[in-house]
Amino acid sequence: MKLTGALSFLMLASASAFAPSTSNTRVSTSLQSQVTRNPNFGKLIGGYLFPEIGRRRNAYIEENPEMASKIISLGIGDTTQPIPEHILSGLVNSASKLGTKEGYSGYGAEQGMGDLRAKIADKLYNGIIKADEVFVSDGAKCDIMRVQQVFGSGVVTAVQDPSYPVYVDTSVMMGQTGEINKDTNQYDNIVYMPCTAENDFFPDIESSPRADIVYFCSPNNPTGAAATKEQLEHLVKVCKERGSILVFDAAYAPFIRTEGVPKSIFEIEGAREVAMECNSFSKYAGFTGVRLGWTVVPDELTFSDGTRVRDDFNRVMTTAFNGASNIVQGGGLACLDDEGLAEINTLIDYYLENANLLKEAMESIGYDVFGGTDAPYVFVKLPEGKKSWDMFSEILEKAQVVTIPGAGFGPGGEGYLRLSAFAPREVVVEACERLKVAMAN
């Protein structure tokens, strides 16, 4: 395969995910199946957050076509900078090999290439985990659902509030929850752990009811808060005392720049007995469309009967997954070369500077702002009584800037707005100027 052909192959894109949700649509037809709908899907409220943002954006453009070219997105956390040269060469070379007799490869190990698993353990964890505890996948979001399949319907889940909506939505899909409580906008049988400015966006876990599975994201999406070593030590301690399993989402770990702030839960003593960790190359290297992630499940993590969690997670991977693309794993190997790691640091610095610009812009007009230091998200506190979806619409109308309403991440996000730093620099600069006008008190 010629190089140009390999590049063309790599750049094929899937159709947009921003289609209106049809989860509650009923079709009138003379012929219907006799299959009962999974009742858990009926519990879900509306569509998934990010497609809903896209739907509203598209509706605005349809009503105001002259504004289409002016739209700026600070919404979904999708990277925008090109994949750097050395990392790209790993993808291209892996694609090119498939066109040769000597280099062709078919199915690989469902858990991932041995070389990549070893390199993740070495370069990203400094050897504190073992290569065979790493399960390479097509992304952390997909792995969250695989984790849910391991735990099944009979567990109680705890989430930060606000939090990445995948934790709650997959819990509902798995049948772990009751109905939505319309007074609180929370699902029965999920433990919501309030994370507020008053508690530095770290939950008072000891005051929360016990849960079997605790989902925790640091640096956090959407608040941008990065938990300290002392906070994570406390989290591990409580999970161990309660016999809970901690699912640690470290997808934004490379954005941590503050000295002493852990990038992995396994930097905490005792975490191997209570925690598993999901991570992804999406934000590391601009792999949001390439798709490559991993989950670490230590040997010491067990169920109440003593069986290893990793054995069941391995069963899910080998049964319902054929392994990440050989091409993409070649790119992952390149990411972890010294040249690739240097390129990743350059990308992260670029997005962190964007976050700093957004943070300074919001502070300059009097808003309280969180995150944006060890994370690519800026969490803006709105004036008292201002609803986040209302502010989303107001900014779209006035400034043609797409943001994310905090309420989309759970009731605890109401009264906040999330701004994403994943945009080209010139776009961020322009967005800052527009927002300072549209949001000025």
Side-chain angles (χ1 to χ4, degrees), residues 57-68:
R57 173 186 181 275
N58 292 340
Y60 172 78
I61 291 173
E62 188 174 333
E63 292 177 6
N64 305 275
E66 73 281 4
M67 295 297 185

Side-chain angles (χ1 to χ4, degrees), residues 60-61 64-72 396-398 400 434:
Y60 172 78
I61 291 173
N64 305 275
E66 73 281 4
M67 295 297 185
S69 63
K70 296 181 179 181
I71 295 290
I72 287 176
L396 185 58
E397 289 280 350
K398 289 183 176 180
Q400 292 74 53
R434 295 190 196 179

